[in-house]
Every structure is written in structure tokens, then in C-alpha cells.
Amino acid sequence: MRECRNSAGTQIRVNGNVIDTDNDGQCAQVYASYNISTATDYSRYACPQGEREYFTFPWRNGTNAYIYLREVDV
């Protein structure tokens, strides 16, 4: 995953991929929040084991993104 900033340095977005690495019945998901924008963006679920999901979140106001990985029961 990576953060990208616009040329003015006032907006940020996150892109990358997430893969489910365990055969545990849960899905992997990435989400991001931002230091200025109040939005939270979520990737699609990656499951079952071995599935990969690519994502590009929209541009958001801010200079920092806080990126998290979680497991979700489905």
C-alpha cells in the first residue's frame, strides 16, 4: 500500500492491494482514515484464502492517511 499526495500537497489518496493469507473463514480488508477529511474508505473483502483485491481510494483533503488491516467475519 502507498500514500500519494497531489502536487499542491493538500490532498492524499491510498492505493494498493490486500490478500487473504489464512484459511480461517475470515476475510482481509484494508481501510483508511485521514488527518483532515472525516471520510473513511474501505477496500473490498479479500477471501477466501489466496484471493487478492486491488483498490484505489479517492482523493481526500489531508496530508496523512492512517491505513489499517483487519479481519472480518462474513
Side-chain angles (χ1 to χ4, degrees), residues 3 6-7 13 15 21 23 29 35 37 39 42-44 46 54-55 58 60 63 72 74:
E3 297 178 5
N6 68 348
S7 59
R13 75 175 174 189
N15 63 18
T21 59
N23 187 18
Q29 184 181 46
N35 67 322
S37 173
Y42 297 86
S43 72
R44 293 178 54 177
Y54 293 89
F55 60 89
R60 300 293 185 189
T63 55
V72 180
V74 291

Side-chain angles (χ1 to χ4, degrees), residues 3-63:
E3 297 178 5
C4 301
R5 290 183 183 83
N6 68 348
S7 59
T10 58
Q11 291 192 320
I12 192 164
R13 75 175 174 189
V14 176
N15 63 18
N17 66 80
V18 59
I19 188 168
D20 185 354
T21 59
D22 293 328
N23 187 18
D24 59 2
Q26 295 181 310
C27 299
Q29 184 181 46
V30 170
Y31 66 101
S33 60
Y34 308 90
N35 67 322
I36 295 176
S37 173
T38 59
T40 303
D41 296 307
Y42 297 86
S43 72
R44 293 178 54 177
Y45 295 143
C47 52
Q49 182 181 18
E51 182 174 314
R52 180 184 309 258
E53 289 291 336
Y54 293 89
F55 60 89
T56 299
F57 296 152
W59 287 103
R60 300 293 185 189
N61 290 329
T63 55

